[in-house]
Amino acid sequence: MVKHSEILGINHLGLTVPDVDQATHFLKAAFGAKLAYASLTQQDSPRQGMEVERQLGLAPGSKIVRQQMVVIGKGPSLELFEIQTDQQQSPATLGDQGITHFSIFVNDLNTALDKAVAAGATALSEIHGNSKYEDTPGNGSVYVKAPWGTLIELQTIPNGYYYPSNSEAKLWLPTD
């Protein structure tokens, strides 16, 4: 019997941070994150060497010194990496190519923004409306910058999305 591969969904997003402990503290304080597991702790030897560099696309001499998985509400997890390397760049901005931000769906945008800022985030603007198809009554979003520079969008769409006639799928919501 031939087993067919089935795409099930996004499992997690990887996020490299300067300090895993500080990032975890921020994510817990700002968004109620919970630690699922620490797969590489300070007591463990770093993951390094040519094979790790080849497998993960890391620059020569890079060392993964900490790694852990955190969960925020429902949806994909965040895998946090602390990597020592001479070739590290700043976090991407929205105009860069590649994954530029992640969004946290909330039911009270004002409270979520206040909590994120109190935990050390910087709001890029005031709360504003969402884009087309997300602009149902009561919607809103605001981007914040985490203490290490990663962009995080706080978003609420209490009345859901609407879709054009050529839509091939409906978006998943944490409330589903």
Side-chain angles (χ1 to χ4, degrees):
M1 176 181 218
V2 176
K3 197 173 195 179
H4 294 282
S5 176
E6 181 182 359
I7 304 299
L8 302 175
I10 294 175
N11 176 266
H12 68 270
L13 301 171
L15 185 61
T16 298
V17 298
D19 184 299
V20 164
D21 289 332
Q22 289 176 348
T24 301
H25 177 76
F26 168 76
L27 293 168
K28 284 181 173 189
F31 310 120
K34 296 185 182 333
L35 176 65
Y37 53 82
S39 51
L40 187 61
T41 69
Q42 289 177 324
Q43 290 73 41
D44 297 319
S45 297
R47 290 176 62 199
Q48 61 185 338
M50 290 175 49
E51 187 65 9
V52 171
E53 293 163 5
R54 183 187 69 79
Q55 291 172 344
L56 304 178
L58 291 170
S62 297
K63 292 189 237 180
I64 303 172
V65 296
R66 302 281 308 284
Q67 184 178 343
Q68 63 189 31
M69 196 73 78
V70 298
V71 176
I72 299 173
K74 298 178 186 175
S77 304
L78 286 176
E79 186 173 25
L80 303 178
F81 291 91
E82 185 177 326
I83 300 175
Q84 295 173 350
T85 181
D86 292 336
Q87 297 188 20
Q88 204 158 54
Q89 298 176 8
S90 299
T93 67
L94 198 59
D96 294 324
Q97 293 185 5
I99 295 175
T100 60
H101 73 284
F102 61 93
S103 177
I104 302 212
F105 200 85
V106 301
N107 59 9
D108 182 340
L109 198 48
N110 288 304
T111 300
L113 177 58
D114 290 346
K115 198 170 178 186
V117 168
T122 303
L124 298 188
S125 72
E126 67 287 341
I127 294 171
H128 53 82
N130 285 307
S131 304
K132 186 175 182 180
Y133 303 115
E134 301 171 347
D135 56 353
T136 54
N139 82 88
S141 68
V142 63
Y143 280 82
V144 300
K145 202 175 260 195
W148 60 90
T150 296
L151 286 176
I152 302 168
E153 180 182 15
L154 305 178
Q155 186 173 48
T156 189
I157 309 173
N159 291 292
Y161 299 89
Y162 59 98
Y163 299 88
S165 60
N166 64 344
S167 177
E168 296 178 344
K170 301 233 184 238
L171 297 176
W172 174 84
L173 290 171
T175 56
D176 291 346

